[in-house]
Amino acid sequence: ALLAATAAVTYFKIPVETIGTRFGEIKASFPTPVIPTLDYDTIKELLFPAFTIALLGGIESLLSAVVADGMTGKKHNSNTELIAQGCGNVVSGIFGCIPATGAIARTATNIKNGGKTPVSAIIHTVVILLVVLFLGKLAALIPLAALSGILIIVSYNMSEWRSFKAILRMPKSDIAILLTTFLLTVLVDLTIAIPMGLIIALLLFIKRMNAVSTISVIKDEFIEAKEINDPLSINSLEIPKGVEIYEINGPFFFGVAEKFKETMLQLEKPPIVRILRMRHVPAIDSSGIKLIEDIFNNSKKHGTHLILSGVNEQPMTALKRIGLTDRIGILNLCPNIHSALNRAKEILGLKEKSIIEKINQGGIIRDIKGNNPLDVISDFVDKMVLPQNINSGLLKRALIEREEMMSTGIGSGIAIPHPRNPLTHKTISDEFICIGYLDNDVNFNSPDGENVHTLIIAISSSSRNHLETLSKIAKFCADKEFISLLKNRSDLKTLIDYMEKR
């Protein structure tokens, strides 16, 4: 288009403005270096414009680099970019040049035409130098209308109107910054729009931080106790292999988003399930939303399932507004970490057995002998059919030590011997419940004074699973009909049928 328009204007002598008629002759020579003379008045006059242009140049270059990252799939080094730009502009000023920045238009055009390394930018610079030195007269013939047409196409390609439209569905603060900067750029000047946009962003950021921050008086010993007793603490959770949990504390803004991105880049191999825990994230901005969207897209690309856990009201509303919750899926939006881990186990095919499945696996042992609780427990364990990776001797010792410390009789002829801590095994399939009937009733010091006729032993793989299992057994033991079935030594099928009805 450029060559055709230039040839047509030159050959047919069409009366339109060209680079030469508008800006004069392009000198085919290298600019002469001149060291400027600076005094206090000049520095004072140029200080604010210099900072504004430096700020604008930095933002423009980094924005261009981010666009290039998105197009090439690589990650730029911000420090290198800004240092190189600063050095280049200091030297170029000596040759009478205007400040330069990384340009989105030329960068995007470069990448779309195959440029993928810094060599393409170097070649671009060399070509411009050759044009200035040897083709200056020909460049002066280029019509401005042809350049305008090219710039319209390039501007449309770099305008990212879809992103503009998407930001209009973001939080109101981001919309205010966008519209203010946009209108000032169009109606006033870019050097005014950029500082004003930054000032508004800083003020809104301070306001937002003040709104979500709280002040608490906390003592060290209370912090430690709270962490130990917190049922949702990571330390008390069983995390299956192939699952990784990332917990974010505090507002999820652009600073946190960058740190999170760096952490993600350090991963050698993506997990099967990635849980993003957000119970302590009271607020999120467009940068945080964009990062979660990028994490989702990246996870989908690598076959990783993304689960969000404990999302608060404001982040959830923001995610719904852009339709991200629908893409992630309602099953992957869990109210707490326990629910998230259960969902992860479903994805991994490790869904935890129900209490009925555990009883069916453990079975029933009859005619357990012994005249005291310790002998009864010992005979019970000897008659149990245990998985190969469970040592019967260690299990027996753990149960007896627990019984010596405190009786496990719970009343109504039932005892639930259990170790102080659950036995830890490698797979969930090792979890089972075994029911044993005593040959003769034995005194287990039950609260109601009744001798025990039935023992129930539960084997679990984690503290949480063990407590949940014991709680469910205790609820059944509070059922009079269930107790009656146990006392009458009902078979396994009868017990399971009754439990299924309940």
Side-chain angles (χ1 to χ4, degrees):
L2 188 69
L3 292 174
T6 303
V9 168
T10 304
Y11 184 80
F12 294 107
K13 300 187 183 302
I14 300 174
V16 296
E17 276 193 320
T18 64
I19 291 179
T21 59
R22 181 67 178 272
F23 301 104
E25 182 183 356
I26 299 179
K27 295 181 180 180
S29 61
F30 201 82
T32 304
V34 176
I35 303 297
T37 302
L38 295 177
D39 53 39
Y40 177 79
D41 292 334
T42 304
I43 294 175
K44 183 178 179 181
E45 181 181 356
L46 296 180
L47 191 60
F48 179 76
F51 273 112
T52 302
I53 292 172
L55 183 63
L56 174 60
I59 293 174
E60 177 73 9
S61 293
L62 295 181
L63 180 59
S64 177
V66 170
V67 172
D69 287 347
M71 297 177 70
T72 62
K74 298 180 180 179
K75 181 171 173 58
H76 71 281
N77 187 319
S78 301
N79 291 336
T80 302
E81 181 75 24
L82 294 178
I83 292 172
Q85 178 183 306
C87 293
N89 283 335
V90 169
V91 175
S92 67
I94 298 175
F95 292 89
C97 302
I98 63 173
T101 72
I104 299 177
R106 289 195 297 274
T107 300
T109 304
N110 195 5
I111 293 173
K112 287 184 177 179
N113 284 277
K116 295 182 179 180
T117 69
V119 175
S120 62
I122 296 172
I123 294 174
H124 174 68
T125 304
V126 172
V127 169
I128 291 178
L129 176 62
L130 294 176
V131 168
V132 170
L133 294 178
F134 303 107
L135 301 176
K137 293 183 179 180
L138 294 179
L141 300 176
I142 298 174
L144 295 182
L147 288 178
S148 299
I150 294 173
L151 284 175
I152 288 173
I153 297 300
V154 173
S155 298
Y156 176 80
N157 290 334
M158 63 177 278
S159 64
E160 298 185 3
W161 62 269
R162 292 180 179 85
S163 298
F164 193 104
K165 184 179 178 181
I167 292 178
L168 293 178
R169 297 196 300 269
M170 295 288 184
K172 293 180 180 179
S173 57
D174 295 285
I175 297 174
I177 297 169
L178 172 69
L179 294 180
T180 300
T181 308
F182 175 79
L183 293 174
L184 287 175
T185 301
V186 175
L187 301 177
V188 185
D189 187 73
L190 193 62
T191 58
I192 300 296
I194 294 296
M196 287 302 299
L198 284 173
I199 291 172
I200 295 173
L202 288 172
L203 292 175
L204 289 174
F205 179 76
I206 293 171
K207 179 179 180 297
R208 187 181 297 163
M209 289 297 295
N210 184 61
V212 301
S213 298
T214 57
I215 300 175
S216 302
V217 179
I218 302 174
K219 295 183 179 179
D220 293 341
E221 62 268 27
F222 291 157
I223 295 175
E224 183 178 357
K226 183 177 180 181
E227 180 67 20
I228 292 174
N229 297 323
D230 184 3
L232 297 178
S233 170
I234 290 289
N235 296 328
S236 65
L237 301 178
E238 177 193 6
I239 304 175
K241 186 178 181 180
V243 177
E244 290 183 354
I245 300 175
Y246 298 87
E247 184 165 3
I248 305 170
N249 295 301
F252 198 10
F253 296 151
F254 52 86
V256 179
E258 187 61 29
K259 292 180 180 178
F260 194 94
K261 189 182 298 184
E262 291 176 0
T263 302
M264 293 287 293
L265 290 173
Q266 294 175 0
L267 296 178
E268 296 181 359
K269 184 180 179 182
I272 300 174
V273 179
R274 177 179 287 129
I275 299 176
L276 194 58
R277 200 177 187 197
M278 301 175 64
R279 62 171 179 161
H280 294 317
V281 178
I284 191 171
D285 71 348
S286 56
S287 298
I289 296 172
K290 181 64 169 62
L291 178 59
I292 292 178
E293 187 175 19
D294 290 343
I295 292 172
F296 172 74
N297 293 332
N298 181 269
S299 299
K300 193 173 181 181
K301 179 180 177 181
H302 292 93
T304 298
H305 297 266
L306 178 64
I307 299 174
L308 301 186
S309 169
V311 184
N312 290 307
E313 183 178 356
Q314 191 274 342
M316 182 65 78
T317 301
L319 294 174
K320 286 181 178 178
R321 192 175 296 163
I322 65 169
L324 192 54
T325 52
D326 294 332
R327 293 168 60 192
I328 294 175
I330 190 67
L331 293 177
N332 297 322
L333 301 173
C334 301
N336 54 58
I337 192 63
H338 292 322
S339 176
L341 285 173
N342 287 336
R343 172 60 180 159
K345 289 175 183 178
E346 289 180 6
I347 295 172
L348 296 171
L350 299 175
K351 188 175 181 181
E352 187 178 337
K353 290 184 175 69
S354 67
I355 189 171
I356 295 176
E357 291 174 319
K358 294 178 182 179
I359 291 177
N360 190 45
Q361 182 175 346
I364 290 178
I365 298 176
R366 301 183 183 278
D367 302 321
I368 298 172
K369 302 183 182 300
N371 297 319
N372 58 68
L374 302 185
D375 291 340
V376 168
I377 291 173
S378 178
D379 188 57
F380 193 1
V381 174
D382 288 339
K383 292 178 178 178
M384 289 173 65
V385 179
L386 297 170
Q388 292 182 352
N389 61 334
I390 298 181
N391 187 298
S392 61
L394 293 177
L395 175 61
K396 184 188 299 185
R397 186 189 309 168
L399 293 171
I400 290 176
E401 286 179 353
R402 174 66 178 82
E403 192 65 32
E404 288 175 336
M405 293 179 60
M406 183 181 296
S407 173
T408 56
I410 64 171
S412 301
I414 306 293
I416 308 181
H418 60 277
R420 294 180 62 189
N421 296 305
L423 301 179
T424 302
H425 311 300
K426 295 181 180 179
T427 60
I428 293 178
S429 61
D430 291 331
E431 296 193 345
F432 65 92
I433 298 171
C434 191
I435 299 175
Y437 295 126
L438 276 61
D439 185 47
N440 296 306
D441 293 359
V442 174
N443 181 11
F444 267 73
N445 294 319
S446 300
D448 60 358
E450 185 177 343
N451 288 342
V452 168
H453 53 72
T454 303
L455 295 184
I456 302 175
I457 292 181
I459 303 297
S460 302
S461 61
S462 71
S463 299
R464 183 175 62 83
N465 291 346
H466 196 63
L467 292 174
E468 288 180 355
T469 299
L470 293 178
S471 175
K472 291 175 181 177
I473 295 174
K475 287 180 180 178
F476 274 107
C477 291
D479 187 317
K480 292 182 179 180
E481 292 185 33
F482 185 76
I483 294 295
S484 177
L485 291 173
L486 291 177
K487 193 169 186 177
N488 294 328
R489 300 193 172 203
S490 299
D491 58 18
L492 184 62
K493 184 178 184 304
T494 302
L495 289 174
I496 289 179
D497 288 343
Y498 178 80
M499 296 178 76
E500 287 179 338
K501 292 177 183 178
R502 298 292 292 172

